[in-house]
Structures are given as C-alpha cells and as structure tokens.
Amino acid sequence: MRVIGLGGGLHDLAACLVEDGRVVRAIEQERLTRLRHACDHEVLTACFRRGNFDPWFREQLATAAVPEIAYCLDGEPITSVDAVTHGTRWMAALWRTEGWPHVRPPLWTFRHLHKVPSHHLAHAASAFLVSPFDEALTLVVDSFGTLRRRGQFETSSLWHGRDRELHPIRTYYSGRVPTDTTPKRWPAAESNCSLGVFYSDVTLSCGFRVLDAGKTMGLAPWGTERLLPELAAFVQFADGGEIHIDPRYLIFLRACERTITTLDDDDRFAYQADLAYAAQKILEDAVLHLVRFGCETTKLRTLCLAGGVALNAVANARILEETPIERIYIQPAANDAGIAIGAAFYTYYRRSKRPREFVMEHAYLGRSYSNDEIAEALAAVQGAGEVERPADLCGHTAKLLADGKIVGWFQGGSEFGPRALGNRSILADPRSKDTWERVNAIKKREWFRPFAPAVLAEAQHEFFELETASPYMVLVSRVRKEKQAMLAAVTHVDGTSRLQTVERQTNPLLHKLISDFAARTGVPVLLNTSFNIQGPIVETPADAVETFFRSDLDALVIGDYLLLHQPRPNVSEHANHLLTRA
C-alpha cells in the first residue's frame, strides 16, 4: 500500500511518500522552488515531479487540516466542483496546474483523498508513529492549528500514544492574537494566547521575521534577566497544564520597540538580547509546565515532540534535565512540513491495520543524484573552476578542513526538515573562533548566531555533557569546560552547543570524514551548518554548484568530485611579468 501525505498550510508545503509502512521519500517545496517557507498551491506538482514521486501518482493521498479549514473526501472519485465545495483549496489547484494530464474523471491521479481530523493530530502522528516507542506522551506546541470551537484555534495539545493510536489528553485553544494596534480591539485580559504566537511576536520585536524564531533562540544567551520580570508578569501557569498569556504583553513589546529605536548600536543589541532572553526563559518554563502535567496524567517517562516550538533545542534539553522524562524523540521536521509524514502514517495505519514496524532513524529522505547528474552540473560551468576526483575523497577533504578550508558538502539524499545533517552542509574546522566569524560572513548571517557541532556518536560523552543521542540537532548540550577552547567555533557564548551525533550506520560517509579529520587533529568534531546563502538549503547538484560560485567557500565536495575556485593570479608576480615584457 502506498500513501502520499501532504504537509504545510500557510507555509512549509511538503510531500511524503509512504510505501508498505516505510518512508520512501519526503521533500519540501522550498527546496524545489528556491523560496523560503514556500507554500504555493498552484505549483504543488513540483513536490511530486522534481521530488521523484511520479511512479506513485495513482495511489492514496492523505492530508492534514490547514489552520483555517479541515477537509476530506473518501470513496468516490473527486471532481473539482466537489473539491471546492468541500474546501479542498490546494487540491482544487491541482487540476488547474499546468502539466497534469487532462483526462476524465477530474481526479485521475488518486483513488481516495483522506483527511487527518486536525492539524495537531497530524503533528502528533508525525512524531509518535515513527518513534521507537510503543507508548509515549506526545506534546505538540506551535502558533495555531485547526479552528475547532467557538472561533478558537489549537495552540498546544497533549496525546497518549499507544501502538498505532493517539488518544487526546488535553488540547489548549486560543483566539488569534490580532495585529491591530488599537487597544480596544485587543482580546480581554483573561484570554489565553498561543505560546508560538507569543514567541513569534517577540521575534518580530527583536527585529527578525516571524518565522525566524531560531534567531531569537540564538540571541537569547547574549542577554540578561533585565526584562524578564516585566514580560513574565503577563504569563501565568495554572492547574491542568493551563498557560494564560495576557495579550496586553503586546503593549509591553510596542514600548520595547520604541525604546530600541532610541538606542545606539551596542545598547540596541543588548536590549534586543535581553528581550530574547526573557521570551526564551518563559517559553522553556511553559513547555516544562505542559510536560510535567502530561507526566502526572499518564505516568509515562517517554516523550515525543512536534510542532514548530519543538525545534527549540534549549527547551528540549531542559525537558530531559528537569522533568521525569527519561527518553525523548523529536520529529526532525517538527514544523508544518512534518505534517506530511503524520498525514501519511495516520492514514496508512488506519487503512492497512498493519502493526508498527518502521522507526525514522534518519532524515535523509530527499532524492539522491547520480555521479552522471553531478558531472552534468559540473560540465555546465566548465572552465569556471578546477574539478578533481580524489581517490580518497574523505581523506582529501579532511586535509582541506584541517588546513582551515571551508567546504560545501553535497552527498546522498537531502535532509527533510530545517536542519542540514551532513548531506547538504557547509563544514569547517571547529577549533578556531575565527572560523565562526568566517562562516557567518560567507553565509551572510548575523554575527552573533552560533554553529552546531557534528560529533562522532562514540566520542559524544568525551566532549559534551548530554547523555542522550541527538541525531537531528534539536537538543542543546553544555560543552565540557576542558573542551570549550578546543571547540571555540561551535561553543556558544553560554558554553553550550546545538549538538548533532553522527552514527556510522545512518551516515557512513560523514562518519568516515569526521573520523579522518580526527585522525589528523585529534578532534572528532566538525562545524556543520546548512549549505545555503540566505535562502533554502541546496537541493540539486546545479543548486550546489551555483551557490558555490557565488560564495567564498574554498571547496565543494559533490558526489565523488571536488570543485575548487580557479586560482587568482598573484598581483605582484603579474606586474613583474608585465615589466619584464616591457
């Protein structure tokens, strides 16, 4: 049985193929359209065609409710009229999309369209149904999900996962937090608000975009407690896992924004960092409050996490440190893209009735490209750079890294989710703080943002205090004090790192590269960041080559090939040559 799941709603459109209970492929639209957080329903077919889904078009399709609408049709073939009538906004777009066969009936590609009843159930399914746990508490926290009751939206939810089923424990709701600045239009003070929206509002007040919450998390360790008491006064924790956020925090944020505009650069940064610190601490405490309630209710000590807030690696680490939870599984595509996985598996298990067997042990779910396809991309820029094919690819690359070179690394299938985990990565030597500054400059990122270490799983405990594995870069660990100077490029200002542990069985090539680097330097760690320059992570060989040539990367390792920039002539030597000729 094959099922295609769709994820996203207002952003992060994605597709996932499940065949006989296993993920075959998953792809985000932004990787194909090259637009961040893309959700263009008119070009939805890009997720299928360039994501290599073509052989499975005539199978099941499952999707979750987007925040505004819930939709499902089952059984009879769907016509475009039916689709519009039932609110299937983006499915209706499919048969208007250029390139789809024009035959009858109108829905020729799928036998059935199924729904997942709610946005949060799809998030929960994306984590629990692919986790290693037979039974687990499952927590979903995001900005808002499906409109369910009295004009309110899902914001957080707790589930009891057992076998193939997810049973709701508690769902928390909120009305939309308005953007109107007229106080009389704001909700009453006793209204509940969303944790995700709260954190997004602070992200905006810090000067970032609404979907740049990761920047707020990275900024927070630079701050102090100065603004924490004032902001925390708007957030109250109550019995039953309830979290009440007084929406008048918006007035406080507007006042902060006005203050920021009056400050010079250094004071402005300090103030923004203090604001980020306060929001981060409140978010962490709120997540712990929800988890503790779930533990008290279920007595479970295993936890699955999904929803955009589950990408907050600092909060995730505190769960392991400060709650009864002993084992944790965090969906690597915890954002709305991951709903594609939840929709597919929820539908697969309900229709097939088969037992759970699959565990999502890695996120390398994109398409792989052959060396012939890579060679074709390199041939298109013939003469622009030097191409080699080293006999010992990892050994040669390890030498470049040990010599201080910054390397683009393109191998295998792309990662599903927002983190580059060693197949579409920029890699560097983690030992020098200068490397941190250089890579931030190459990627055109804010100077204060940290980088993640990729460490051999067998060496994790030698360098980091985290006891559990962190394969998806969604847990923060304190770097051991005696190792912080050795890992200056990946140790944040507070002595922590957002860790990726690398297992030989899940990524043997990256494991070998780090091992070869360790043989040269004694450090089994590499700086690992996403292979992109202010845009989506590269997907195709052509993307990788194009990004390399418009960057200051020293080298690109792509498949079996090594690409270098053409050497620039030495100016003084060139001048002497001209004088000699004269």
Side-chain angles (χ1 to χ4, degrees):
M1 180 180 178
R2 300 181 182 118
V3 179
I4 291 175
L6 298 179
L10 302 179
H11 52 83
D12 297 317
L13 185 63
C16 164
L17 170 68
V18 169
E19 182 173 11
D20 295 330
R22 305 184 68 82
V23 177
V24 175
R25 183 151 299 129
I27 191 77
E28 295 154 88
Q29 193 183 66
E30 71 166 33
R31 302 293 183 93
L32 307 173
T33 62
R34 313 309 303 156
L35 298 172
R36 289 292 303 274
H37 306 295
C39 194
D40 188 342
H41 305 103
E42 296 294 338
V43 293
L44 179 60
T45 48
C47 278
F48 297 105
R49 294 194 157 201
R50 293 175 61 197
N52 203 21
F53 283 74
D54 297 298
W56 301 283
F57 268 5
R58 294 176 178 81
E59 293 296 337
Q60 312 289 337
L61 180 79
T63 184
V66 298
E68 293 87 351
I69 57 176
Y71 51 88
C72 169
L73 291 174
D74 198 356
E76 296 301 316
I78 307 166
T79 69
S80 57
V81 174
D82 290 332
V84 174
T85 301
H86 285 78
T88 21
R89 172 169 62 125
W90 39 336
M91 292 313 299
L94 282 177
W95 22 100
R96 297 197 305 272
T97 302
E98 184 179 354
W100 284 65
H102 291 85
V103 297
R104 301 296 181 193
L107 186 61
W108 56 94
T109 50
F110 307 106
R111 295 189 183 123
H112 304 287
L113 172 64
H114 312 282
K115 78 169 180 179
V116 178
S118 82
H119 186 88
H120 272 218
L121 176 55
H123 268 310
S126 78
F128 174 68
L129 294 181
V130 300
S131 76
F133 308 137
D134 295 327
E135 187 176 15
L137 174 66
T138 301
L139 172 63
V140 178
V141 187
D142 64 3
S143 291
F144 57 91
T146 303
L147 178 63
R148 302 298 290 173
R149 65 178 191 185
R150 298 190 301 276
Q152 294 198 320
F153 297 83
E154 301 165 319
T155 60
S156 303
S157 57
L158 286 159
W159 307 78
H160 186 160
R162 180 186 291 136
D163 192 22
R164 296 171 301 170
E165 301 293 329
L166 280 154
H167 305 283
I169 299 170
R170 188 76 178 266
T171 300
Y172 305 91
Y173 297 93
S174 172
R176 280 186 193 267
V177 175
T179 57
D180 194 294
T181 56
T182 307
K184 67 181 181 182
R185 296 275 307 274
W186 290 348
E190 65 271 20
S191 296
N192 289 348
C193 296
S194 159
L195 276 174
V197 169
F198 168 80
Y199 201 78
S200 294
D201 284 335
V202 175
T203 296
L204 286 170
S205 294
C206 288
F208 309 130
R209 294 176 299 182
V210 69
L211 294 176
D212 285 341
K215 294 183 181 182
T216 305
M217 184 180 73
L219 177 61
W222 295 90
T224 70
E225 296 184 351
R226 173 172 47 156
L227 300 177
L228 179 58
E230 291 179 86
L231 189 57
F234 296 101
V235 182
Q236 303 296 324
F237 302 145
D239 293 341
E242 291 280 357
I243 300 166
H244 301 283
I245 306 177
D246 185 335
R248 288 178 294 187
Y249 74 87
L250 288 167
I251 301 173
F252 174 74
L253 292 183
R254 300 301 174 261
C256 289
E257 291 171 11
R258 288 193 294 272
T259 299
I260 288 169
T261 61
T262 68
L263 303 174
D264 60 27
D265 289 346
D266 289 343
D267 288 341
R268 180 183 299 117
F269 175 79
Y271 199 95
Q272 290 168 324
D274 290 344
L275 186 57
Y277 178 97
Q280 176 65 32
K281 179 65 165 60
I282 292 166
L283 181 76
E284 292 169 22
D285 290 346
V287 170
L288 296 183
H289 181 65
L290 287 165
V291 172
R292 288 175 181 137
F293 170 70
C295 290
E296 292 170 4
T297 303
T298 64
K299 310 305 180 186
L300 293 171
R301 298 297 179 262
T302 51
L303 175 68
C304 296
L305 282 177
V309 173
L311 293 172
N312 193 296
V314 183
N316 298 343
R318 282 191 64 192
I319 290 172
L320 287 172
E321 295 170 358
E322 301 179 37
T323 75
I325 293 300
E326 298 169 358
R327 300 175 65 201
I328 192 168
Y329 179 86
I330 305 165
Q331 167 58 251
N335 59 1
D336 280 2
I339 284 177
I341 288 178
F345 274 100
Y346 179 85
T347 300
Y348 174 80
Y349 285 125
R350 286 179 69 86
R351 293 186 63 81
S352 72
K353 308 299 183 185
R354 294 180 184 176
R356 283 177 58 204
E357 296 177 347
F358 175 75
V359 175
M360 188 171 164
E361 296 178 331
H362 65 81
Y364 308 115
L365 301 174
R367 183 187 163 199
S368 296
Y369 296 85
S370 67
N371 270 318
D372 287 344
E373 291 173 296
I374 291 169
E376 183 179 345
L378 293 171
V381 293
Q382 188 172 9
E386 295 185 348
V387 178
E388 302 175 13
R389 200 166 185 177
D392 180 4
L393 186 72
C394 288
H396 194 92
T397 305
K399 182 179 184 307
L400 290 173
L401 292 165
D403 290 342
K405 304 300 184 185
I406 312 296
V407 177
W409 180 259
F410 182 105
Q411 302 293 336
S414 60
E415 302 90 342
F416 187 58
R419 311 290 195 224
L421 301 170
N423 278 10
R424 301 289 187 275
S425 290
I426 292 174
L427 304 175
D429 187 335
R431 295 175 294 172
S432 170
K433 190 173 181 180
D434 290 343
T435 305
W436 174 11
E437 296 168 354
R438 286 177 58 206
V439 179
N440 263 334
I442 287 171
K443 286 172 62 73
K444 297 178 170 56
R445 301 196 327 167
E446 294 84 355
W447 65 269
F448 62 82
R449 293 177 63 187
F451 289 109
V455 59
L456 298 180
E458 56 268 32
Q460 173 183 340
H461 302 306
E462 179 185 350
F463 288 81
F464 302 96
E465 295 181 5
L466 183 69
E467 294 298 323
T468 190
S470 177
Y472 297 135
M473 219 182 277
V474 287
L475 288 170
V476 158
S477 171
R478 184 160 295 281
V479 183
R480 295 193 182 278
K481 284 188 177 180
E482 67 274 17
K483 303 294 185 181
Q484 290 183 14
M486 190 183 299
L487 299 179
V490 293
T491 300
H492 203 12
V493 65
D494 61 349
T496 66
S497 287
R498 181 164 49 86
L499 182 63
Q500 178 196 0
T501 50
V502 180
E503 302 273 358
R504 180 181 283 107
Q505 60 268 31
T506 55
N507 196 327
L509 195 63
L510 180 63
H511 190 279
K512 185 177 187 308
L513 175 62
I514 300 174
S515 298
D516 287 354
F517 179 81
R520 289 181 172 274
T521 64
V523 179
V525 180
L526 286 175
L527 180 155
N528 177 16
T529 186
S530 55
F531 192 171
N532 62 337
I533 308 294
Q534 291 189 323
I537 300 173
V538 301
E539 169 60 28
T540 68
D543 295 337
V545 171
E546 186 272 334
T547 301
F548 171 73
F549 279 116
R550 65 181 178 89
S551 76
D552 290 325
L553 288 170
D554 297 307
L556 170 61
V557 179
I558 178 168
D560 291 343
Y561 296 93
L562 170 66
L563 177 62
L564 301 168
H565 290 289
Q566 286 279 21
R568 298 171 183 171
N570 183 289
V571 175
S572 60
E573 289 183 2
H574 184 59
N576 289 334
H577 174 68
L578 293 176
L579 288 171
T580 302
R581 288 185 60 188

